Amino acid sequence: MLELKHISQEFGGLRALDEVNLIVNEGQIYGLIGPNGAGKTTLFNIITGIYQPTEGGVYFQGQKIDGNPPHQVARMGIGRTFQNIRLFAKLSVLDNVRVGSHAVTQAGLFGSILGLPVVRREEKQILHKSQTLLEMVGLQDKRWEYAENLSYGEQRRLEIARALALQPTLLLLDEPAAGMNATEKQELMSLIYYIQKEMKLTILLVEHDMNLVMSICERIAVLDYGRKIADGSPEQIKNDERVIQSYLGAPA
Amino acid sequence: MDAFLMQYIDPYYLRILVLIGINIILALGLNITTGVTGQLSMGHAGFMSLGAYTSAILSLQFAAPFWAALLCGALVAAFFGFLIGIPTLRLEGDYLAMVTIGFAEIVRVFFLNFEPGGKAVGLSGIPQNTTFGIVLLLVIIVIFFNARLLKSRLGRSMYAIRENEIAAEACGVNITRIKVLAFTIGAFLGGLGGALYAHYMFFIRPQDFAFMQSIELLNMVILGGMGSIPGTILGAIILTIAPELLRIVAEYRLLFYGALLVLLMIFRPNGLLGDVRIYDLRKRWMNKEVGA
């Protein structure tokens, strides 16, 4: 479904990614782990079109997608969340999700200001869909609050709802559990499971919480200093010599 | 309608009402560009000037019907809004403000040297076609379409750009198109307001549309509350009336005017109605009831 071929990224003289290959299959929950600064978020930014890779190509459903601007990539069905939460702070929770459906709706300028029936019907669908998504992430009661007034965990869930509103086939989650407490993490894990099953999504996630990664990911890749040092099942990763050395650390 | 109103209202008050109406149209235009989409434009008077001169020349030289002059004025301004929208794709904040100031200055200097525009003397004898009735009608139409736009898919994506461009793009918003669109609509309303102004004042000069006029309009949007339609309307009303009320303090007028702005910004940093929503009001009201 998603294939990265020999991706390298240079910032000035710094080589942030070096010949990274990655294959994510349809329906997988794929984990991407590694120490800080290993290039995980850079990889996300390459997939979503924010950066143009210095070398290599990104293929999504067999199509080369690198070089497309981010909004085009989103329209192809790749949704994402951000490591440093990027919500529309001064918009309501509901409007955040409604903006998320931008890619899959059509209303134009004249249709909107004239209030054509087509546009009104579309608005109704957007509202309905957004409320269903909010229900799913448990934020329906707070739909009129400003996004900035939500708690940290709620904001992360809202980001997921917003990403789902564009009806993605591939969802990229950048540290979805960061800043969450144990209960919230548990809820998040069941939410990720649920959306993956319910919406037949493929999920690629970056996470530092090993417990979460090891229990929900079918396959894991490890980055270190911009190089992929391992990939495989959680079991293989746990026992991989290089991964233990550079990231997991030896059990005490 | 105006003759009828004149029986009841002093012409001085009617004049203020007309100016309030024109300022509401101008400020709502700027609100779309700056308040909603977050693209700081400090050259709104430039669009106003283009609308005013285009319509005035059409009326004077070609005896064009009033509605055609208004529409052409607005369209010419919109075209320049579209052009000025393009550099905004690369610029943000202060840099964009510089470009828009520069643009408005170019327009001013152009008309200062433009023969058919009467150069520094300006144009006079423009037919006074702008009546209170017409302004009222246009204000209602503009508010109605504005409200529709801001509640629509495109309006939401404009707010999204103001809040976070990267996230907006990740939602599939083509920020290039939406920003240019916001500039074009803003300029259209700027041109419309300018054309109404020209046909109300008989007489226009390049310095009527100088930098201070842009700042005045920006003040209305900021004072009322960025991105809020009721806020912008309130801002336009207050800032049109304030200089009139302050006539009592005669030569200290500008001083009081400035102080008023400073005080409002201290006590309402988000503008008068910038973050007031019916939902919050109701919630606060209900909490109070529970407390009592």
Side-chain angles (χ1 to χ4, degrees):
Chain A
M1 162 159 234
L2 177 74
E3 191 173 359
L4 304 181
K5 287 185 185 161
H6 308 289
I7 294 285
S8 296
Q9 177 76 44
E10 282 174 10
F11 296 115
L14 180 79
R15 208 165 170 85
L17 288 173
D18 191 15
E19 295 275 320
V20 175
N21 292 297
L22 203 71
I23 297 178
V24 182
N25 291 322
E26 187 118 28
Q28 269 181 336
I29 300 184
Y30 201 109
L32 194 59
I33 62 174
N36 288 327
K40 305 181 295 288
T41 298
T42 306
L43 203 60
F44 267 29
N45 287 341
I46 288 172
I47 297 170
T48 52
I50 294 176
Y51 298 147
Q52 169 77 25
T54 318
E55 284 160 44
V58 182
Y59 297 83
F60 179 61
Q61 289 170 330
Q63 216 185 334
K64 189 168 155 69
I65 62 164
D66 57 274
N68 280 305
H71 68 92
Q72 290 287 1
V73 176
R75 281 159 194 232
M76 291 171 191
I78 301 182
R80 75 171 293 184
T81 66
F82 296 89
Q83 180 182 5
N84 45 343
I85 299 174
R86 287 179 184 274
L87 286 169
F88 308 125
K90 283 271 180 211
L91 291 188
S92 71
V93 168
L94 179 62
D95 277 343
N96 267 272
V97 183
R98 284 203 273 204
V99 173
S101 66
H102 189 93
V104 288
T105 47
Q106 264 102 47
L109 176 63
F110 292 101
S112 301
I113 62 174
L114 297 175
L116 298 182
V118 198
V119 174
R120 275 195 246 169
R121 215 172 307 137
E122 190 182 82
E123 272 300 310
K124 248 185 212 162
Q125 283 165 358
I126 294 174
L127 180 67
H128 177 76
K129 212 180 69 186
S130 306
Q131 292 190 322
T132 316
L133 286 171
L134 284 175
E135 199 82 59
M136 204 172 80
V137 298
L139 290 172
Q140 175 71 345
D141 292 342
K142 305 209 166 177
R143 63 187 181 280
W144 297 116
E145 295 287 344
Y146 279 135
E148 63 180 359
N149 294 340
L150 296 184
S151 76
Y152 207 70
E154 288 170 337
Q155 293 195 0
R156 291 224 172 264
R157 278 184 282 145
L158 178 55
E159 272 215 323
I160 294 177
R162 183 178 68 185
L164 290 175
L166 77 89
Q167 295 169 353
T169 44
L170 173 67
L171 182 63
L172 307 179
L173 302 174
D174 202 344
E175 299 199 19
M180 285 189 171
N181 63 33
T183 337
E184 285 174 328
K185 273 180 193 165
Q186 205 56 47
E187 283 168 6
L188 178 75
M189 269 157 72
S190 28
L191 179 66
I192 294 176
Y193 259 133
Y194 179 80
I195 55 180
Q196 193 263 338
K197 291 274 167 325
E198 204 64 11
M199 306 184 155
K200 298 187 179 57
L201 280 178
T202 309
I203 296 175
L204 176 61
L205 66 91
V206 164
E207 186 49 68
H208 282 300
D209 187 285
M210 277 312 116
N211 185 15
L212 187 141
V213 173
M214 293 295 174
S215 58
I216 68 172
C217 295
E218 290 159 46
R219 214 179 155 80
I220 294 170
V222 189
L223 285 181
D224 188 25
Y225 291 113
R227 287 205 183 83
K228 189 173 81 173
I229 56 172
D231 79 63
S233 69
E235 280 311 309
Q236 288 171 311
I237 296 297
K238 255 184 242 179
N239 301 316
D240 188 291
E241 205 55 44
R242 291 181 67 187
V243 178
I244 292 170
Q245 205 175 40
S246 70
Y247 184 52
L248 297 180
Chain B
M1 184 172 178
D2 285 48
F4 173 74
L5 279 170
M6 288 284 212
Q7 296 171 358
Y8 302 97
I9 310 178
D10 191 292
Y12 168 70
Y13 293 118
L14 194 64
R15 181 189 157 87
I16 292 174
L17 284 177
V18 170
L19 287 179
I20 287 176
I22 293 175
N23 279 336
I24 288 175
I25 293 174
L26 289 165
L28 282 176
L30 183 60
N31 183 46
I32 290 180
T33 319
T34 300
V36 178
T37 317
Q39 306 302 304
L40 183 55
S41 164
M42 296 178 80
H44 207 56
F47 300 124
M48 196 184 161
S49 173
L50 284 165
Y53 272 96
T54 306
S55 64
I57 290 170
L58 282 176
S59 285
L60 288 172
Q61 311 256 351
F62 303 97
F66 181 46
W67 63 267
L70 282 186
L71 190 66
C72 287
L75 286 176
V76 167
F79 173 70
F80 280 92
F82 171 78
L83 288 186
I84 245 327
I86 294 169
T88 66
L89 311 173
R90 294 157 168 270
L91 301 171
E92 270 173 52
D94 323 359
Y95 303 101
L96 178 58
M98 294 300 291
V99 170
T100 52
I101 292 171
F103 161 75
E105 276 303 291
I106 291 169
V107 172
R108 191 179 66 86
V109 173
F110 172 77
F111 283 119
L112 209 49
N113 296 290
F114 185 54
E115 198 71 58
K119 294 189 162 185
V121 184
L123 286 173
S124 56
I126 305 164
Q128 199 187 26
N129 288 325
T130 303
T131 60
F132 177 73
I134 287 172
V135 171
L136 184 66
L137 181 72
L138 284 175
V139 166
I140 291 171
I141 293 174
V142 167
I143 292 175
F144 179 73
F145 282 161
N146 236 287
R148 276 265 175 85
L149 174 68
L150 296 193
K151 267 167 59 184
S152 74
R153 165 178 178 265
L154 290 176
R156 283 194 300 265
S157 62
M158 288 176 179
Y159 281 112
I161 288 174
R162 178 187 77 183
E163 294 296 317
N164 197 316
E165 282 190 22
I166 291 177
E169 271 202 297
C171 291
V173 176
N174 184 343
I175 57 174
T176 312
R177 269 191 56 197
I178 302 285
K179 279 184 185 176
V180 173
L181 181 71
F183 257 93
T184 311
I185 299 173
F188 181 88
L189 293 179
L192 181 65
L196 286 170
Y197 178 85
H199 286 81
Y200 186 69
M201 290 295 181
F202 298 110
F203 164 58
I204 50 171
R205 290 171 307 172
Q207 60 261 46
D208 291 342
F209 313 104
F211 184 56
M212 271 319 290
Q213 178 64 31
S214 296
I215 296 299
E216 193 90 338
L217 292 169
L218 192 61
N219 278 343
M220 293 174 188
V221 175
I222 297 173
L223 177 82
M226 302 273 257
S228 151
I229 295 176
T232 303
I233 294 171
L234 188 65
I237 294 173
I238 292 177
L239 289 190
T240 314
I241 294 177
E244 305 296 331
L245 292 182
L246 291 172
R247 279 183 200 282
I248 326 161
V249 284
E251 57 263 46
Y252 296 108
R253 202 165 92 160
L254 282 175
L255 193 143
F256 275 86
Y257 180 79
L260 182 75
L261 285 180
V262 171
L263 285 176
L264 274 162
M265 282 301 110
I266 290 172
F267 293 107
R268 301 284 309 165
N270 286 320
L272 288 170
L273 299 177
D275 50 4
V276 178
R277 298 181 306 168
I278 296 167
Y279 167 75
D280 296 317
L281 289 178
R282 199 185 301 153
K283 204 169 83 172
R284 202 183 300 169
W285 184 71
M286 292 209 314
N287 285 347
K288 255 190 201 146
E289 208 169 51
V290 170

